[in-house]
Amino acid sequence: MPPHILAYSATAGFRHDSIEASIEALKAKETALGVKFDFTEDKSKFTDENLSQYDAILFLNNSGIVLDDTGKAALQNYFNLGGNFLAIHCAADALRDSPFFGRQIGAYFDYHPEIQESAVDVLDKTHPSTVMLPDKWRLMDEMYNFESDPHIVGAKVLLTADESSYQDPQAKEKTLRHGSPHPIAWYQERGAGVESHGIAGRSWFTGLGHCIEIWSDDLFLGHVIGGIKWVLQSKTTKAFNANGNVGNAS
């Protein structure tokens, strides 16, 4: 059986028009990726029993408090058992009442300027989620600002926003707390949302993914697919380690 991923796109705040496009784009990549996605917006799926079958959980443009207390506890337990995690764009604006989730993502969203053509710089060309990208990648998307520096939780930054490539009128009024250069995508070898007694899986986040059109862009899809491949290779779940505590044994 292929690695199993739960893709969760529930929203309790702003809802991105691109969610449906992102689901279709990922469905189309299942065979090439060699994975099985389960797409849902049903928070009742977040139980210990159900999550135990997944090698990774993907939060896909979520917003607001999208889990109840039972779901939050199950997600924390999943992280403690070595479960892997991916998050895209607005997921950084979800579950603000759950600090462990903020640590697992790396930083919460603060604000963004208007959508416009922008450029990002690739800091690490060796990672599977960036190896296909040009050194300076121009695209139409939102350049998120974050409430904290992901380095604080041990994240390694992959992409930074080139602030000279776009206009951000609010920047002069804001205290930019995410550090410099401006992080826009990163990974954690050991997800910081795990509790001290747990086994940390991997975590990967990209702040990109706002527009419908970007979900048909080969470079962006390569970026996301590379992130998925990387988290699954953590060896903390049954995808590549039969002794894992969670996941779908191959």
Side-chain angles (χ1 to χ4, degrees):
M1 295 291 290
H4 210 176
I5 299 173
L6 180 65
Y8 188 53
S9 55
T11 55
F14 181 83
R15 186 172 180 85
H16 278 73
D17 293 339
S18 59
I19 287 176
E20 286 68 29
S22 67
I23 291 170
E24 291 306 311
L26 292 172
K27 280 181 180 177
K29 296 294 183 181
E30 273 189 325
T31 300
L33 254 175
V35 304
K36 175 68 172 70
F37 288 107
D38 284 345
F39 294 94
T40 188
E41 297 198 355
D42 182 357
K43 66 183 178 182
S44 72
K45 299 292 186 182
F46 282 74
T47 64
D48 289 340
E49 181 179 8
N50 191 53
L51 296 188
S52 68
Q53 65 184 301
Y54 294 104
D55 297 290
I57 295 174
L58 166 62
F59 269 61
L60 185 58
N61 261 331
N62 316 80
S63 63
I65 309 305
V66 291
L67 293 176
D68 57 21
D69 289 345
T70 297
K72 293 169 196 170
L75 183 60
Q76 176 72 86
N77 190 49
Y78 176 79
F79 293 156
N80 290 343
L81 293 172
N84 299 302
F85 180 67
L86 302 109
I88 293 177
H89 194 57
C90 196
D93 196 28
L95 295 182
R96 288 181 177 271
D97 63 341
S98 305
F100 80 91
F101 183 81
R103 292 191 295 272
Q104 188 75 8
I105 280 192
Y108 284 119
F109 163 72
D110 186 4
Y111 78 97
H112 63 79
E114 293 298 316
I115 300 168
Q116 56 197 287
E117 183 174 295
S118 307
V120 297
D121 294 314
V122 180
L123 298 190
D124 181 352
K125 289 279 286 188
T126 66
H127 194 273
S129 66
T130 55
V131 67
M132 75 296 296
L133 300 178
D135 292 346
K136 187 173 289 289
W137 180 21
R138 297 190 176 277
L139 70 168
M140 185 73 71
D141 211 332
E142 286 178 340
M143 292 296 112
Y144 270 10
N145 294 275
F146 299 93
E147 292 186 348
S148 61
D149 184 342
H151 289 103
I152 293 171
V153 298
K156 305 294 185 184
V157 175
L158 293 164
L159 303 177
T160 58
D162 178 354
E163 293 173 348
S164 70
S165 70
Y166 60 92
Q167 300 297 314
D168 183 0
Q170 297 182 74
K172 292 180 180 178
E173 304 167 8
K174 292 276 190 176
T175 301
L176 300 181
R177 294 170 284 180
H178 50 229
S180 182
H182 182 148
I184 207 69
W186 54 77
Y187 70 91
Q188 299 175 54
E189 181 65 48
R190 295 175 50 81
V194 69
E195 293 179 300
S196 59
H197 62 276
I199 301 167
R202 287 176 167 178
S203 173
W204 182 90
F205 170 78
T206 183
L208 305 174
H210 173 85
C211 299
I212 292 173
E213 293 79 9
I214 203 168
W215 286 97
S216 59
D217 181 278
D218 288 340
L219 284 177
F220 176 72
L221 288 173
H223 174 53
V224 172
I225 289 166
I228 293 169
K229 289 179 177 178
W230 178 79
V231 299
L232 290 174
Q233 293 167 355
S234 69
K235 302 192 187 314
T236 58
T237 68
K238 292 178 181 178
F240 295 109
N241 176 9
N243 295 319
N245 294 312
V246 292
N248 183 41
S250 298

